[in-house]
Amino acid sequence: MVQEWLKISLLLCTFGFFREMRPSEPFVSEFLSGEWRDIEPEQLYRDVYPIGTYTHLAVLIVIFLVTDILRYKSIIIFSACVGITIWSLLLWTTSLGALQAVQALYGTYMATEVAYYTYIYAKINRDKYQQVTGNTRAAILSGRFLASVIGQALVSTQAMDLRQLNYITVGALPQQHVTGKTSSATPTSAINPTASNPALNPPASAALAAVSAPKDEDEYPDGQQTSKQEVHFSCHRAGRLLWTHFIAAYSNLTVVQWSLWWSLAMAGFIQVQTYVQLLWQVINQDHDYLYNGGAEALLTLFGAISALLAGYVANRVFEQWALWILTGCSALQGGLILYSSFATNIWVAYVVYILFGVLYMFMITMASASVAKHLEEDSFGLIFGINTFLALAFQTILTVVVISESGLALDMRGQFKVYGGYFLVLAVIYFVPATVSSVQYCRRKSRVGRAESEESGKNVTDMERSTRF
């Protein structure tokens, strides 16, 4: 009989797989700046893409505050509904204003990911966190891989144009279809088991009751004033519980060191992933080769393998050498992105992007599992949400400084030079404490060695004395 944790893991993997079945994504910049819209690439990275970043940041605040209260599942279903709206608008609108609205919705769609990534920890025993994290991330990346392969195959064989790929995306997205039909993944989101831990349910019920209650105190029948006081108490209790979880999490040094890297690295990765297609347009101006889908497919394939490996690798090694591993990976990522800013060959640019992404997929899986192991129950949505919020805050700063007219307003190559430098700075941030930690470790080991040597010498002297007498 299949174990309960494995059944839940399989359901979540299935949902995540279909959620990423978006063959249009590797070609989205080509599509948006193509013949179907009168929009220049410069408008995309100045007037369109930043809206998604800002919306993602704003909506995430609400999402990570209510995810634990609403028990994850409702947020996941809401995400599915937003998804079909986004790709429907992409198919049947052409104006710049509509595209900006799509970006606002896309920011919302991405913000709801925190519910999926934290739901797994609400239903699984702590000793299975690392395995389930690896499994679900591998499923997500497998979905992206298949989507990229399908998209590349259809474009290369000219069986579909870039616009028509969006029809497959709409059909495969997990959604609740208003016409009564359901897509392939909708049942998955509906049958996922509800997280039943009631720690935060009473405040949620009370808060919802407060919204529907009359506003005028005189309108309260006997006994409803007491209900209002209970609502206030429950909301106060929820806030105090969230604060307790916040303090408990970030008082742990392991959580802090992994969370900081998580937030900073995620900001850089999202920024690179968002704008890399525009860099490829600059490198490949003649459009002799269009293999964006192939590049994304290889990235997600190797990323899925790396995520699986991360789920089963010995965590003790990472705990012992965490600072050095984070330093080395950040430095390597920075070097790769910096090199891509000078690339003139599209194949080289593809390879660099794949290596960069695989490193990130492996490390972010380790970061998620490492943080989750040190969290209180029912605080996963809060802490994961805060880490993601900080990532988006850093990404927003990058967007304003590097892209906006009020900032540096760099071209694409200039932007990627900054992103490469960003990861190198991240490596320096971890290099300093890694060095200090190693020096302290060597000193402790030296002291222990001297103490053992002195103790051994003392024992020998005592033995000589006893022999003499």
Side-chain angles (χ1 to χ4, degrees):
M1 185 171 179
V2 181
Q3 296 180 2
E4 183 66 19
W5 75 270
L6 189 56
K7 287 196 293 185
I8 295 170
S9 178
L10 288 172
L11 282 173
L12 290 169
C13 286
T14 303
F15 178 84
F17 179 87
F18 284 107
R19 190 180 192 275
E20 297 301 319
M21 185 57 62
R22 307 194 294 265
S24 57
E25 290 246 310
F27 307 96
V28 65
S29 293
E30 295 283 347
F31 165 60
L32 296 179
S33 59
E35 61 186 273
W36 301 275
R37 283 179 169 82
D38 187 21
I39 295 175
E40 297 296 324
E42 185 174 347
Q43 286 181 288
L44 283 180
Y45 70 80
R46 299 232 190 270
D47 302 328
V48 177
Y49 286 164
I51 292 176
T53 301
Y54 304 146
T55 306
H56 193 170
L57 178 67
V59 173
L60 185 66
I61 299 173
V62 178
I63 295 297
F64 77 69
L65 287 175
V66 303
T67 293
D68 290 316
I69 295 174
L70 298 182
R71 313 312 297 147
Y72 312 98
K73 183 176 173 180
S74 56
I75 303 296
I76 293 174
I77 294 174
F78 170 71
S79 169
C81 296
V82 173
I84 190 173
T85 305
I86 291 170
W87 275 273
S88 296
L89 287 173
L90 278 177
L91 276 168
W92 294 296
T93 62
T94 57
S95 67
L96 177 62
L99 191 54
Q100 290 172 329
V102 165
Q103 275 298 303
L105 287 171
Y106 189 74
T108 303
Y109 181 74
M110 298 307 293
T112 57
E113 274 190 339
V114 69
Y116 173 76
Y117 283 121
T118 56
Y119 178 69
I120 59 178
Y121 303 116
K123 296 295 294 181
I124 302 295
N125 290 333
R126 205 171 283 267
D127 61 340
K128 300 295 183 183
Y129 281 178
Q130 194 166 332
Q131 293 180 26
V132 175
T133 303
N135 292 344
T136 50
R137 285 194 180 274
I140 288 171
L141 294 173
S142 298
R144 288 185 199 169
F145 168 72
L146 184 59
S148 299
V149 169
I150 291 172
Q152 185 64 63
L154 292 173
V155 169
S156 296
T157 58
Q158 298 183 347
M160 282 188 173
D161 60 32
L162 301 184
R163 179 180 181 276
Q164 291 168 341
L165 291 178
N166 290 282
Y167 287 109
I168 302 177
T169 302
V170 170
L173 277 172
Q175 56 190 275
Q176 288 182 323
H177 203 297
V178 295
T179 61
K181 295 181 180 180
T182 57
S183 74
S184 52
T186 304
T188 310
S189 63
I191 65 176
N192 280 335
T194 302
S196 58
N197 193 317
L200 291 178
N201 278 341
S205 303
L208 291 173
V211 172
S212 60
K215 304 301 179 186
D216 191 342
E217 292 186 10
D218 294 335
E219 296 179 21
Y220 279 101
D222 293 341
Q224 284 203 10
Q225 189 65 33
T226 304
S227 177
K228 183 180 179 182
Q229 292 172 355
E230 290 175 353
V231 168
H232 176 75
F233 173 76
S234 296
C235 291
H236 176 71
R237 175 175 173 268
R240 193 169 58 183
L241 189 58
L242 291 173
W243 177 250
T244 301
H245 286 160
F246 175 86
I247 295 298
Y250 293 108
S251 297
N252 187 302
L253 183 59
T254 301
V255 172
V256 171
Q257 72 183 23
W258 281 102
S259 293
L260 179 62
W261 184 89
W262 176 345
S263 298
L264 291 170
M266 178 182 256
F269 176 77
I270 294 174
Q271 196 75 350
V272 168
Q273 191 177 48
T274 301
Y275 296 98
V276 72
Q277 291 181 31
L278 294 172
L279 176 66
W280 291 343
Q281 285 185 2
V282 173
I283 296 172
N284 188 31
Q285 291 185 359
D286 296 333
H287 297 278
D288 295 334
Y289 307 99
L290 187 60
Y291 289 98
N292 297 4
E296 292 288 354
L298 289 174
L299 166 60
T300 50
L301 174 63
F302 294 133
I305 294 171
S306 70
L308 277 174
L309 291 175
Y312 294 90
V313 77
N315 205 37
R316 289 182 180 178
V317 177
F318 274 79
E319 289 180 355
Q320 184 177 356
W321 300 100
L323 293 173
W324 283 112
I325 292 170
L326 293 172
T327 299
C329 286
S330 301
L332 188 54
Q333 286 180 297
L336 288 169
I337 294 302
L338 194 60
Y339 183 78
S340 71
S341 68
F342 295 99
T344 56
N345 186 303
I346 188 61
W347 299 106
V348 172
Y350 285 152
V351 170
V352 167
Y353 174 66
I354 291 167
L355 293 174
F356 166 79
V358 169
L359 270 175
Y360 172 80
M361 300 299 178
F362 180 84
M363 292 304 299
I364 198 66
T365 303
M366 291 303 304
S368 300
S370 298
V371 170
K373 286 181 179 180
H374 295 86
L375 296 183
E376 299 283 343
E377 296 293 338
D378 284 312
S379 66
F380 304 115
L382 176 69
I383 304 306
F384 278 48
I386 290 173
N387 289 346
T388 307
F389 171 78
L390 291 175
L392 295 174
F394 291 130
Q395 187 202 356
T396 301
I397 293 170
L398 276 174
T399 301
V400 172
V401 172
V402 177
I403 298 174
S404 70
E405 295 290 347
S406 58
L408 299 175
L410 297 176
D411 60 15
M412 289 314 303
R413 289 191 182 274
Q415 286 182 41
F416 274 74
K417 290 174 185 176
V418 173
Y419 303 151
Y422 172 86
F423 276 95
L424 292 176
V425 170
L426 178 56
V428 172
I429 290 174
Y430 276 89
F431 175 77
V432 174
T435 303
V436 172
S437 177
S438 294
V439 170
Q440 290 176 342
Y441 174 77
C442 291
R443 286 179 177 176
R444 285 196 303 268
K445 193 172 181 180
S446 177
R447 284 197 299 268
V448 170
R450 284 199 302 268
E452 289 177 350
S453 178
E454 291 173 359
E455 185 67 25
S456 176
K458 183 180 178 182
N459 290 338
V460 170
T461 303
D462 291 342
M463 286 177 64
E464 288 177 349
R465 288 175 180 173
S466 62
T467 304
R468 193 178 304 153
F469 289 102

